[in-house]
Amino acid sequence: MRPRPIAHFRRLPHNSRKTSSSALHTPSSNSDVEALNAGVNALTSVSSERKPRRYGQLQGLSVAVKDNICTSSLPTTCSSAMLHQYQSPFDATVVRLLRDAGAHIVGKTNCDEFGMGSLNLNSVYGAVVNPFQAQSTPNVPPAQTERRSAGGSSGGSAASVAAGICDAALGTDTGGSVRLPASYCGVVGLKPSYGIISRWGVVSFADSLDCVGILGKSVNTVKRVFDTVAVYDHQDPTAATPELREKTRPLNASFFPATTSTRQPRSLEGLRVGVPLEYFPSELDPSLVNVLRAVLRRLGEAGATLTSVTVPATQYALSAYYVITSAEASSNLARFDSVRYGLRTATPPGATTSKSSDVFAYSRSAGLGKEVQKRILLGTYALTADAFDNYFLQAQRVRLHVRRDFDRVFRYPCALLAQPHPPRDGVDVLLHPSAIRTAPPLDRGEQGSHGGGKAVPGLSEYLQDIMTVPASLAGLPALSIPVGKGADGWPVGVSVVGQWGCDDLVMRVGKAIEELC
């Protein structure tokens, strides 16, 4: 691949210093952006374009874009050496819609390589540092502040919003990559219903799960961006059709009376909130349970009906998720072979060049990080004849059970089903902790897969997604809202999950929680 000359941007060097200047405001110039980014490492490049003069519903809004979403004026590297300085010849649909609505694209955000990771350690640009500490203790010298993860894989998007670099940011969510960073950084993060926002122009990780998500300082900001980009796109074969979108309108409208009340204090009478019993694993920090209980108590006081529900297949969701995503990733990333796309390295002296596979292997080994290599190998094995039935097909069966479990608890039917049978006593939304803990420290292996270090001992990095994966497998909308602090003083988020297509309801309930908490 021969990258095109890059214009209208400035590449940011990696800087591990932490800054205490992360006040929550939107910077007015590139120098302000770079100053705020200096200790956070949230951005990989900054746009030099002037703020647009177009008038639209997003006029004056600054937006950062994850580095795996194509932009014609900025590099799209997926935080990987494989796509170093690659510049797309076109804008992704979501980027075009933002520009047309008057939004200002401030830059591209750091992420786990090709979206694979939960702590934003697997990036060629280095780890993203959670900016929350700098905001909460501005008088502490940078060298003495605690360095914690911003979450992944959309950690740069969450950190850029939390640090005040932008008003909103686009990320991608495959198994929790928007909601987890939102919880860690104390911002709002939305994973929409699968197919509602176009994926055209997004570099694929796992096609059947990938969603473009939105992060913002408030639910209102997220809603503004969502209303702009949630339109049908004929270029995306996985996009929900206009007929399906229209089918969900009555479902959303029937919920609105309880969530649009202007009475103060707000009344939520008629809203049924379910608490899934399976979302309290042994790994869950007890202080997060206390925060969730406080949120539930306020919802109850506002008139909402609280009930416990069960989604039994949840316990198998994480295992199924890693099988499915690894298999799809092994297929999607096959295109990065140094011939069609990707970095091309010279073969070492004495190496054989008679087989094309050997030539590919040298370039892929140099261009892809260890985490990506690991998942490609696992996915390739899952798709072999010997393992296909026992792993991949079994994971798809588990996914079907997860979807059915959710359909059994929601009050209204899934618009994707031809003959749905929802329960009469079902719930409107589910509520659960967004993560099993607050932001983990970075000191235990900050180098990640590109630095030769180990991100987190054992399997704990993979367990970070245990709360978010089920909604992803079912393609449901989910919104993480900051609601308090854990025992260590770091942000805690709770997630609102709704039936497919009920994104507006999820955001309205999220807005109510935002006001109550």
Side-chain angles (χ1 to χ4, degrees), residues 390-465:
N390 290 334
Y391 290 93
F392 187 74
L393 286 186
Q394 194 77 339
Q396 295 289 8
R397 294 186 186 105
V398 169
R399 184 177 191 175
L400 181 60
H401 281 296
V402 171
R403 286 175 175 168
R404 288 174 176 171
D405 283 350
F406 280 117
D407 288 337
R408 291 189 187 104
V409 300
F410 285 120
R411 178 189 292 185
Y412 284 86
C414 177
L416 299 173
L417 300 178
Q419 295 181 330
H421 300 283
R424 293 183 179 180
D425 58 346
V427 300
D428 299 329
V429 295
L430 300 176
L431 196 68
H432 64 80
S434 297
I436 58 174
R437 57 160 299 163
T438 55
L442 282 174
D443 300 334
R444 293 183 295 174
E446 193 173 328
Q447 289 180 320
S449 66
H450 279 279
K454 192 175 182 182
V456 176
L459 299 174
S460 57
E461 180 182 3
Y462 301 102
L463 289 175
Q464 304 301 315
D465 294 330

Side-chain angles (χ1 to χ4, degrees), residues 130-164:
N130 195 319
F132 175 80
Q133 179 77 16
Q135 297 166 11
S136 60
T137 54
N139 296 323
V140 176
Q144 299 178 16
T145 55
E146 186 178 9
R147 296 167 59 82
R148 293 206 182 191
S149 169
S153 63
S154 304
S157 297
S160 62
V161 173

Side-chain angles (χ1 to χ4, degrees), residues 262-317:
T262 56
R263 291 167 49 190
Q264 294 297 330
R266 177 188 290 273
S267 174
L268 296 177
E269 291 182 9
L271 184 71
R272 291 180 58 85
V273 179
V275 182
L277 299 177
E278 290 78 11
Y279 282 68
F280 297 89
S282 58
E283 296 86 359
L284 182 62
D285 186 335
S287 68
L288 274 64
V289 178
N290 295 332
V291 173
L292 177 64
R293 285 174 177 164
V295 175
L296 292 171
R297 184 172 60 252
R298 288 170 183 164
L299 288 173
E301 291 171 352
T305 301
L306 309 178
T307 183
S308 60
V309 298
T310 180
V311 279
T314 293
Q315 60 184 314
Y316 309 112

Side-chain angles (χ1 to χ4, degrees), residues 148-179:
R148 293 206 182 191
S149 169
S153 63
S154 304
S157 297
S160 62
V161 173
I165 294 172
C166 57
D167 299 309
L170 294 184
T172 58
D173 193 306
T174 307
S177 294
V178 163
R179 292 159 285 162

